[in-house]
Amino acid sequence: MPHVVVAGAGIIGLATAAELLPRGWAVTVCDPAPASGASHAAAGMLAPAAEMVWGQNALYPLMIASGRMYPDFLARLGHADGDAADLGHVRNGTLVVGADAADRAALADLTAIQRAAGLPVETATTRQLRRLEPALSPAISGGVLLPEDHHVDPRRLTAALLRHLEAHPRAELIRRGVSALTGTTTDAGRATDGVVLSDGRRLAADQVVLATGLAARELADLPLRPIHGDILRLKLPASNHPLITRTVRALVNGRPVYAVPRGDGIVLGASSREDSGAGVRTESVHELLDSAHRILPGVLDSTLEEATARARPGTPDDVPLIGRRDPGLVVSTGYSRHGILLAPLGARLTADLVAGSPPPSTGHDDAAGPSLLPLTAEANVAALLAAVAPDRFPATVTARSTP
Ligand SMILES: Cc1cc2nc3c(=O)[nH]c(=O)nc-3n(C[C@H](O)[C@H](O)[C@H](O)COP(=O)(O)OP(=O)(O)OC[C@H]3O[C@@H](n4cnc5c(N)ncnc54)[C@H](O)[C@@H]3O)c2cc1C
């Protein structure tokens, strides 16, 4: 039976493991603190339209394809877990509003790219928006409804993926870090053949998947940088709950902010900092609350339950790094701001690279549902893989070897 070691149990490593198990692989996932990295902080917006940014054309098809894979991704997990309804997947669209006329004009520019990408966008007046979400301030300056942008609870999702892994007879979770990749280097090049764990143990593998988020920078010299994000979790009193029923995003004097309804409160995010501070930055907390208050005055009637900061694994162009580095090593990282959204597609592409070629898409494994995450008909796999190729940058990427 082929054996794969997946280094990293964030959303990407876990989703990849879940995609490899139905293909008959024995899967060992190694992580000293599963699901505690960027995936722990994430708001869980699945927002191909709202996340579009000028000049990031290579990202659009990835985001659209992965967003459309989400229902199958969650349904398969639900088959195995019996708990799909409880993953916080809500599909009632996203509102994007401008605080003032200049903010609304900036949003109108984005609407043009969203429409050009074939995504539905419905322009709405302040009155129409307030009919959908009465907690919105009457002072906002209009906006749009993006019906295809949805959200999920990333913490429930990673917990379900971990349960799936721990219950599977061919899966193993080792709560240890990977300190190095092992392999041989010959005239033909390098071939990874396993990993060394932080306790010195060596694990041999037919294939290794490097999904350690930002830490892949050290393990395989990948061009990654930390983009810190601060995010708040607010609890609302029963008298003010639910404050909103769908995700509300806004531009406030050019500054983005979002509020995602979750449980008895909201998730309010997120800053984007490239400084060296890994802890929660007070200035970010102030800015988030200030912006949110302009859009949703009721946010101040809440309890601050949690302030979290994590580093997003950023790449030079914000597009992930997914590709084969040598005959034994596939990397899957650099998901930056979009790792929750891109998880189904990233898992599918990574598993295809590990397995060599996709097996037939109709088989079933155990009682776990369809064996492969179906790609949407319009997805062009070759083009998607070219967009995420880790060697698309001038600097070469070389795996660090262990003697
Ligand atoms: C504030 C914030 C909000 C966000 N909101 C969204 C959102 O709404 N929607 C969206 O799509 N994305 C969002 N993101 C981005 C998303 O969280 C990331 O892109 C995604 O979590 C990356 O997943 P990952 O598995 O690659 O990395 P991580 O989640 O960071 O996981 C990496 C894992 O590797 C482990 N690890 C590290 N070193 C080693 C080692 N040596 N050996 C073994 N394991 C190791 C870590 O313990 C960790 O569990 C947000 C990010 C932040 C910070």
Side-chain angles (χ1 to χ4, degrees):
M1 184 189 310
H3 177 221
V4 58
V5 167
V6 178
I11 185 77
I12 300 303
L14 291 170
T16 302
E19 181 66 7
L20 280 162
L21 285 167
R23 301 175 190 226
W25 286 71
V27 179
T28 304
V29 178
C30 307
D31 192 320
S36 66
S39 306
H40 179 71
M45 290 175 298
L46 309 173
E51 285 289 332
M52 283 186 172
V53 175
W54 277 115
Q56 294 193 338
N57 301 28
L59 258 178
Y60 309 159
L62 299 166
M63 296 197 296
I64 294 169
S66 200
R68 291 181 179 160
M69 292 168 79
Y70 241 91
D72 285 313
F73 177 51
L74 297 182
R76 185 178 66 175
L77 202 50
H79 280 292
D81 195 59
D83 207 13
D86 212 17
L87 297 177
H89 190 214
V90 179
R91 307 190 71 187
N92 59 356
T94 293
L95 302 187
V96 189
V97 310
D100 60 23
D103 292 319
R104 198 182 40 164
L107 290 178
D109 288 347
L110 282 180
T111 300
I113 6 176
Q114 290 156 348
R115 289 206 170 111
L119 294 172
V121 186
E122 297 166 21
T123 309
T125 62
T126 300
R127 180 177 297 199
Q128 288 166 331
L129 292 167
R130 292 192 75 232
R131 225 175 276 140
L132 293 171
E133 295 296 344
L136 281 168
S137 163
I140 60 164
S141 182
V144 294
L145 168 65
L146 304 172
E148 282 196 13
D149 281 10
H150 40 140
H151 64 260
V152 71
D153 184 337
R155 292 182 181 178
R156 289 191 185 182
L157 179 53
T158 50
L161 283 161
L162 274 167
R163 282 197 298 276
H164 177 50
L165 192 71
E166 288 180 310
H168 200 288
R170 271 185 282 103
E172 182 187 18
L173 175 66
I174 300 180
R175 291 177 191 263
R176 286 274 182 273
V178 165
S179 50
L181 307 174
T182 60
T184 51
T185 305
T186 62
D187 290 346
R190 181 181 160 79
T192 299
D193 61 10
V195 299
V196 183
L197 298 181
S198 54
D199 59 7
R201 251 184 302 166
R202 285 175 180 246
L203 293 182
D206 299 299
Q207 292 286 309
V208 173
V209 172
L210 194 58
T212 49
L214 189 61
R217 185 177 48 171
E218 285 76 37
L219 284 163
D221 291 339
L222 290 167
L224 294 166
R225 71 186 195 287
I227 305 175
H228 301 284
D230 306 283
I231 191 162
L232 309 176
R233 281 164 169 86
L234 310 180
K235 184 177 174 182
L236 290 155
S239 57
N240 199 7
H241 171 72
L243 184 68
I244 47 174
T245 58
R246 46 174 70 68
T247 296
V248 173
R249 301 174 63 122
L251 265 189
V252 182
N253 300 136
R255 211 163 49 206
V257 66
Y258 57 74
V260 181
R262 176 123 333 123
D264 56 4
I266 56 172
V267 180
L268 192 67
S271 64
S272 192
R273 311 182 267 113
E274 299 212 29
D275 54 31
S276 57
V280 177
R281 192 163 161 73
T282 309
E283 182 187 15
S284 302
V285 175
H286 167 73
E287 286 178 357
L288 289 174
L289 289 171
D290 187 46
S291 297
H293 176 239
R294 289 268 306 275
I295 301 301
L296 294 165
V299 291
L300 294 193
D301 182 22
S302 65
T303 313
L304 177 55
E305 294 277 289
E306 185 186 314
T308 307
R310 289 290 187 278
R312 305 172 183 89
T315 62
D317 57 4
D318 263 359
V319 178
L321 307 168
I322 309 171
R324 177 165 288 292
R325 299 312 305 158
D326 71 41
L329 177 66
V330 173
V331 300
S332 188
T333 181
Y335 288 80
S336 194
R337 292 181 296 132
H338 309 110
I340 307 300
L341 168 62
L342 293 178
L345 178 67
R348 168 68 201 256
L349 295 179
T350 307
D352 285 355
L353 287 164
V354 167
S357 63
S361 59
T362 48
H364 280 66
D365 168 73
D366 313 328
S371 68
L372 274 188
L373 281 173
L375 282 158
T376 48
E378 73 273 16
N380 176 338
V381 175
L384 296 176
L385 280 171
V388 296
D391 54 7
R392 63 187 181 273
F393 306 108
T396 51
V397 177
T398 336
R400 183 168 296 160
S401 62
T402 293

